[in-house]
Amino acid sequence: MLKLVLLATVGAWIGFSNPLFHFPPAVLAFPLGLAWIGLRATSGPKAFRFGWLAGTLAATGCFYWMVIPVQIYGGLPWFVALPCPALLAAFIGLYFGLFSLSMHFAGKRIDGVPLCLLAGFSWTAMEMLMGTVLSGFPWLNLASAFAAWPAFVQGASVVGAYGLSGVFATLAVAVLLYSTYRSALALAVGLAALIAGFGFYRTATFDVGDQDYMVTIVQGNVDQGLKWNTTYQADTVKKYAQLSLEAVSKESPTLLVWPETAMPFYLQEDTGYRKALELLANDTGTAIIAGSPAYKVVDAKTRKYVLYNRAWLIDSSGHMTQSYDKEHLVPFGEYMPLEKWVPFKKLVQAVGNFRPGEDNRPLKLNGVALGMLICYEAIFPELAQQQVERGASVLVNISNDAWFGNTSAPGQHLDLAVMRAVEQGRWLVRSTNTGISAFVDPLGRLAGVTRQFEAGTLSMKIAAIQAKTVYHALRDWLNVFVYVMTAAAFGYLAFASRRKKGTVE
């Protein structure tokens, strides 16, 4: 059984993005190994236990980067930081333990193609729950491992990233069972052909739109350790302004996109720094999206206020006309869940505890609706869906991946953002402080990408697209369908098993 744990673990480590060796198809060993554990286990508890172990080890290897923001930038001691990835992984591992348990239960009652299909539904439901329960953390999205191979993720435009993960899980289990059931071999070959065939057809025929909207990404590469030091604020503003001026003189963009909290001060206040940005926009005739913390006074007498992680739009005349407040905050980083009962402060320190934004609308500029996603909001399908539903014709993801250093996290984060572009059929502009910044076309292809840890700009003409994908139209129905089918299948198996047991007795 430990060999199967190792198979699943190594498959995840190699399959998901990492700086050493990334081979997307290896990720199929992850669901294959977990299903094999369930089918080989002699009892339900054993299936769950070894499935949990495999999931925990896999997640720990993919989440190791958490130590850096907690210890280096959070200032917490190493003995607090080191367990963090393992603790989160141990929780995430529960989902994978349940998947192995479900395969153990189902494998005793069905086989062949039905078992493969049930594995796919179970995996999809599992990822959907992973993205919802306790704020959600759908970081290990199986489909995102294939983002580096765009032809193999086009199915997300029809069934979404979660649904495509289920298809890959079905394929993995079909490969596992192919030597025992000829129907499983046919299913594996058919699914592989469908994934590749549809992918290559769509990438060859899809219209990415009239690319007539010039956008420039500005990557400041500001040292995270110095960023919040007030003595460096002027240097930060100068750096972004200089990079922007150079890009404007060469490319004449309509829009400059600066990263999340690029301005580490309250841009809403009437200061010299704010005036500098307004002058830059007005003098160059170029709009700017810039991230900064923001606040709202809720009680003037007591001076009580709440904080927001905000993206501002400064139009080409130098006026701050629109903004977007981050809706899905990072627990233990941007706010403290159960703060009264947790015996420590935030794991990552910045300017304070944020409040989530509400009822955000796309930022509109020259007839183009810009759907904002701040930082790890890009890993949640429902937020991109919401922005497109409200009219977004382009997706804009601003982030600050400097927290993660030179680890797997920036690549994994980018892969997850790529899935939002495919799901919604939109160009995605991704601006980060230290990289990886990128232009992603509606097919998930990296049309332009920056190098990490280098200051610079990247300019490209993109297209505003109004058409909606099949996934966008069916998403809510698909979610209900997956949950109902999964619950109904296991409910029927449980009922049939009990009925058979009663008949025998």
Side-chain angles (χ1 to χ4, degrees), residues 14-17 21-28 142-157 164 168 171 192 194-203 411 414-416 418-419 422 440-446:
I14 296 175
F16 288 106
S17 182
F21 178 69
H22 177 212
F23 184 61
V27 81
L28 295 179
L142 196 67
S144 70
F146 287 88
W149 294 8
F152 292 86
V153 296
Q154 297 310 306
S157 66
L164 184 57
F168 281 124
L171 173 60
L194 178 63
I195 292 168
F198 177 70
F200 284 112
Y201 170 78
R202 190 167 188 265
T203 53
L414 174 62
D415 287 348
L416 288 158
V418 164
M419 300 308 295
V422 180
V440 184
D441 79 4
L443 295 167
R445 298 177 297 196
L446 300 182

Side-chain angles (χ1 to χ4, degrees), residues 374-444:
I374 296 181
C375 191
Y376 101 140
E377 284 189 320
I379 77 174
F380 295 96
E382 63 272 17
L383 296 178
Q385 173 90 7
Q386 176 180 278
Q387 287 297 300
V388 172
E389 187 66 30
R390 293 174 176 176
S393 52
V394 173
L395 295 175
V396 179
N397 176 215
I398 61 174
S399 188
N400 179 24
D401 289 359
W403 295 108
F404 308 130
N406 187 22
T407 67
S408 302
Q412 294 169 359
H413 201 181
L414 174 62
D415 287 348
L416 288 158
V418 164
M419 300 308 295
R420 305 293 82 81
V422 180
E423 285 176 336
Q424 300 300 329
R426 293 291 186 272
W427 279 87
L428 183 141
V429 180
R430 188 167 193 267
S431 176
T432 72
N433 176 25
T434 56
I436 306 167
S437 300
F439 287 100
V440 184
D441 79 4
L443 295 167

Side-chain angles (χ1 to χ4, degrees), residues 211 213-216 251 427 439 447-448 458-462:
Q211 294 172 240
Y213 196 77
M214 178 64 82
V215 178
T216 293
E251 305 292 348
W427 279 87
F439 287 100
L458 183 65
S459 300
M460 178 166 288
K461 286 185 177 180
I462 64 173

Side-chain angles (χ1 to χ4, degrees), residues 196-484:
F198 177 70
F200 284 112
Y201 170 78
R202 190 167 188 265
T203 53
T205 60
F206 186 85
D207 183 5
V208 298
D210 296 327
Q211 294 172 240
D212 55 5
Y213 196 77
M214 178 64 82
V215 178
T216 293
I217 294 168
V218 183
Q219 182 171 296
N221 195 39
V222 176
D223 188 331
Q224 187 64 31
L226 301 174
K227 180 175 179 177
W228 296 100
N229 190 323
T230 56
T231 61
Y232 288 91
Q233 289 178 348
D235 289 338
T236 299
V237 174
K238 288 178 182 178
K239 189 170 192 176
Y240 276 98
Q242 185 60 41
L243 289 168
S244 298
L245 285 170
E246 293 173 1
V248 169
S249 65
K250 293 178 182 178
E251 305 292 348
S252 300
T254 301
L255 174 66
L256 295 161
V257 182
W258 297 1
E260 175 193 20
T261 59
M263 299 292 95
F265 49 82
Y266 298 117
L267 193 53
Q268 70 196 91
E269 294 181 345
D270 189 14
T271 65
Y273 296 142
R274 170 178 168 175
K275 291 178 181 177
L277 266 67
E278 292 173 338
L279 283 172
L280 175 63
N282 184 55
D283 291 347
T284 62
T286 308
I288 302 171
I289 287 178
S292 85
Y295 63 86
K296 174 182 167 184
V297 177
V298 294
D299 190 330
K301 292 183 178 180
T302 61
R303 296 185 178 181
K304 184 179 179 181
Y305 61 91
V306 293
L307 291 167
Y308 298 96
N309 186 345
R310 182 169 293 178
W312 292 98
L313 174 62
I314 304 171
D315 65 24
S316 57
S317 62
H319 295 102
M320 292 172 56
T321 56
Q322 302 168 64
S323 64
Y324 170 95
D325 292 328
K326 186 176 181 181
E327 296 187 10
H328 202 123
L329 302 175
V330 181
F332 304 104
E334 292 175 312
Y335 77 100
M336 279 297 297
L338 305 175
E339 187 171 13
K340 294 181 180 179
W341 294 276
V342 177
F344 54 84
K345 297 182 179 180
K346 289 192 307 172
L347 297 180
V348 178
Q349 302 303 314
V351 295
N353 289 317
F354 292 101
R355 284 283 187 88
E358 298 177 353
D359 196 31
N360 284 295
R361 302 286 166 172
L363 308 180
K364 296 193 176 176
L365 179 68
N366 296 353
V368 175
L370 307 166
M372 297 301 303
L373 299 168
I374 296 181
C375 191
Y376 101 140
E377 284 189 320
I379 77 174
F380 295 96
E382 63 272 17
L383 296 178
Q385 173 90 7
Q386 176 180 278
Q387 287 297 300
V388 172
E389 187 66 30
R390 293 174 176 176
S393 52
V394 173
L395 295 175
V396 179
N397 176 215
I398 61 174
S399 188
N400 179 24
D401 289 359
W403 295 108
F404 308 130
N406 187 22
T407 67
S408 302
Q412 294 169 359
H413 201 181
L414 174 62
D415 287 348
L416 288 158
V418 164
M419 300 308 295
R420 305 293 82 81
V422 180
E423 285 176 336
Q424 300 300 329
R426 293 291 186 272
W427 279 87
L428 183 141
V429 180
R430 188 167 193 267
S431 176
T432 72
N433 176 25
T434 56
I436 306 167
S437 300
F439 287 100
V440 184
D441 79 4
L443 295 167
R445 298 177 297 196
L446 300 182
V449 63
T450 65
R451 298 180 65 176
Q452 282 187 275
F453 311 112
E454 292 184 5
T457 62
L458 183 65
S459 300
M460 178 166 288
K461 286 185 177 180
I462 64 173
I465 296 177
Q466 300 296 333
K468 296 178 180 177
T469 61
V470 173
Y471 171 72
H472 181 90
L474 299 180
R475 178 182 175 273
D476 292 340
W477 289 103
L478 283 171
N479 289 353
V480 172
F481 177 71
V482 168
Y483 282 134
V484 169

Side-chain angles (χ1 to χ4, degrees), residues 101-177:
L101 177 61
S102 71
M103 289 298 95
H104 174 79
F105 176 81
K108 290 184 173 298
R109 294 158 178 83
I110 56 175
D111 53 33
V113 170
L115 180 59
C116 297
L117 295 177
L118 184 54
F121 276 106
S122 300
W123 192 279
T124 301
M126 178 191 71
E127 284 200 3
M128 288 164 55
L129 288 171
M130 201 180 297
T132 305
V133 176
L134 296 179
S135 177
F137 191 65
W139 193 269
L140 294 183
N141 169 243
L142 196 67
S144 70
F146 287 88
W149 294 8
F152 292 86
V153 296
Q154 297 310 306
S157 66
V158 178
V159 296
Y162 295 152
L164 184 57
S165 291
V167 174
F168 281 124
T170 300
L171 173 60
V173 176
V175 170
L176 172 64
L177 301 177

